[in-house]
Amino acid sequence: MGGDHGPSVTIPAAISFIKREPDAELILVGQETLILSALKKYKVADHPRLSVRHASEVVTMDDSVEVALRRKKDSSMRVAIRLVKDAEVQAAVSAGNTGALMAVSRHLLKTIPGVDRPAICTILPNQNDGPTYMLDLGANVDCEPQHLHQFALMGSALVSAMEGKPKPTVGLLNIGEEDIKGNELVKHTAELLRAAHAKGVLNFYGNVEGNDIFEGTTDIVVCDGFVGNVTLKASEGLGRFVKSVLTTEFRKGWLNMLGAFIAYGAIKALSRRLNPSRYNGASLLGLRGLVFKSHGSADMYAFEWAIQRAYDAAKYDVLARIKVAIEKLIPPSDAPENGGGAAVPGAIAPDPAAPSVQAAASAN
């Protein structure tokens, strides 16, 4: 019910996704009357794999964390996360207020033992035609070295599970490759990562710079949430700028239009590779449940990608694999006091023929 567009985007995206994935089930969380009306409009009100869970409140993009946590206890965001906690679904997808989503998710699901703070992780394209995983992208503006160390461990576990790489490379984002460069946070984090590398629990490449993200120098790039969010937004803006400039220039005169016609295939491929919508859907790593964050401004195509990422993570049992990896990489003696707790809810077998995957799609 939230984000920049709400049900006008999230509902058609859910319908498109459910038609593509025959093993998926979606629960649409929000104001029941409005959602049912939209489903009737799209002639899918009786779809066997689409259901509705009513939530009377909405967390707006301007609501504070306190409002989301303490006042709006029947928001679509909170109801969707509760479905994950109660193991009714394997994942939740939200396009709403990032701070509220992180706070509600952490409050209800808690963190995996050994993890102090959850982190937002997404993928960015690189020139090797593969993904570069980057975290944190905005969940933690102020970090300590041990937090970035944990981000590196979680990112390594995620990439190992999703990409099939036993020892993915980890780069620490800095203003230079040399060890003497950077602020104290980066320098102290590098010491922790080098120690982990020496123990064989992490494949630390070293410091990387901004250009290395898109060159694919490492599989994972680690930074604090402030730097990560600025980098992400700047990258998305550049992608849209390049697309806009190309479109404008090719329309200037018949010769340019002829050139565009001749190069249509290459232009289409370029647009596809640089389209930020294809990389929408960031995972909140470190929680005892799968939660994925879509951009609030996402269109239908982009929101459908967010649902797809959540579905894939549930289908291939990423949560359980991350939990096992964290237990191996962070000895129990190093685990924080607030990290312990119950088993991971909602994990499913990695067998592609397993029962259908359910996800709660909250427009928040």
Side-chain angles (χ1 to χ4, degrees):
M1 310 306 298
D4 292 350
H5 307 294
S8 64
V9 159
T10 56
I11 292 177
I15 294 170
S16 176
F17 174 79
I18 209 76
K19 289 180 178 178
R20 284 194 303 102
E21 292 287 354
D23 294 329
E25 296 180 22
L26 291 182
I27 299 177
L28 305 179
V29 184
Q31 296 173 2
E32 186 175 29
T33 302
L34 190 152
I35 295 174
L36 289 176
S37 175
L39 293 179
K40 289 179 181 178
K41 173 185 174 183
Y42 291 105
K43 300 179 180 180
V44 290
D46 298 324
H47 197 290
R49 291 181 288 113
L50 273 177
S51 58
V52 180
R53 186 65 58 92
H54 179 65
S56 61
E57 297 175 306
V58 175
V59 174
T60 70
M61 301 301 275
D62 297 325
D63 280 342
S64 67
V65 169
E66 181 183 5
V67 169
L69 272 176
R70 299 181 182 179
R71 300 182 189 176
K72 294 187 175 181
K73 295 188 176 182
D74 194 44
S75 68
S76 56
M77 179 183 290
R78 191 179 184 111
V79 172
I81 303 302
R82 195 182 300 125
L83 290 174
V84 177
K85 179 183 178 181
D86 295 340
E88 291 189 49
V89 299
Q90 282 74 52
V93 184
S94 171
N97 186 317
T98 302
L101 180 66
M102 178 61 78
V104 172
S105 299
R106 187 174 181 181
H107 174 70
L108 292 179
L109 300 176
K110 313 303 180 187
T111 56
I112 295 172
V115 176
D116 286 326
R117 300 180 181 180
I120 298 176
C121 179
T122 195
I123 62 174
L124 295 172
N126 61 47
Q127 65 186 37
N128 298 326
D129 203 23
T132 297
Y133 286 74
M134 188 170 178
L135 72 166
D136 176 30
L137 296 176
N140 305 279
V141 176
D142 298 308
C143 294
E144 299 294 332
Q146 69 268 22
H147 300 139
L148 269 63
H149 178 218
Q150 291 171 13
F151 298 166
L153 294 175
M154 290 191 292
S156 183
L158 175 66
V159 174
S160 179
M162 294 298 288
E163 305 297 332
K165 295 183 176 182
K167 290 287 185 180
T169 52
V170 177
L172 181 62
L173 192 60
N174 199 358
I175 58 172
E177 296 181 357
E178 299 83 0
D179 293 340
I180 61 172
K181 290 189 175 180
N183 55 27
E184 293 303 309
L185 172 63
V186 172
K187 291 178 181 178
H188 291 157
T189 300
E191 294 176 2
L192 294 176
L193 298 183
R194 281 193 290 268
H197 180 85
K199 294 178 182 178
V201 298
L202 199 66
N203 188 7
F204 181 47
Y205 173 88
N207 291 332
V208 295
E209 299 180 75
N211 57 290
D212 289 305
I213 298 171
F214 301 100
E215 290 177 6
T217 303
T218 59
D219 298 308
I220 305 152
V221 174
V222 175
C223 60
D224 65 67
F226 184 93
V227 172
N229 192 268
V230 171
T231 302
L232 176 67
K233 297 296 175 61
S235 303
E236 292 172 345
L238 177 61
R240 293 189 179 94
F241 172 69
V242 170
K243 182 178 180 180
S244 174
V245 169
L246 285 174
T247 301
T248 301
E249 293 301 320
F250 276 127
R251 288 176 176 174
K252 288 183 177 179
W254 68 270
L255 280 177
N256 286 13
M257 294 177 68
L258 177 62
F261 177 77
I262 295 173
Y264 176 76
I267 294 171
K268 186 176 181 179
L270 176 65
S271 177
R272 181 186 62 83
R273 290 185 65 180
L274 296 182
N275 186 358
S277 296
R278 293 184 65 241
Y279 305 95
N280 185 43
S283 55
L284 273 58
L285 291 184
L287 297 168
R288 297 181 193 169
L290 291 175
V291 180
F292 278 73
K293 174 68 176 74
S294 165
H295 286 304
S297 60
D299 58 14
M300 189 192 87
Y301 177 75
F303 192 78
E304 187 175 348
W305 267 107
I307 301 174
Q308 183 69 57
R309 297 205 190 286
Y311 173 83
D312 289 341
K315 182 177 179 179
Y316 295 108
D317 210 8
V318 166
L319 181 62
R321 297 171 74 171
I322 290 177
K323 184 174 181 289
V324 170
I326 289 295
E327 289 174 349
K328 290 181 179 179
L329 296 175
I330 302 180
S333 59
D334 294 340
E337 292 287 334
N338 63 349
V344 179
I348 64 168
D351 183 0
S356 60
V357 175
Q358 277 197 329
S362 164
N364 269 323

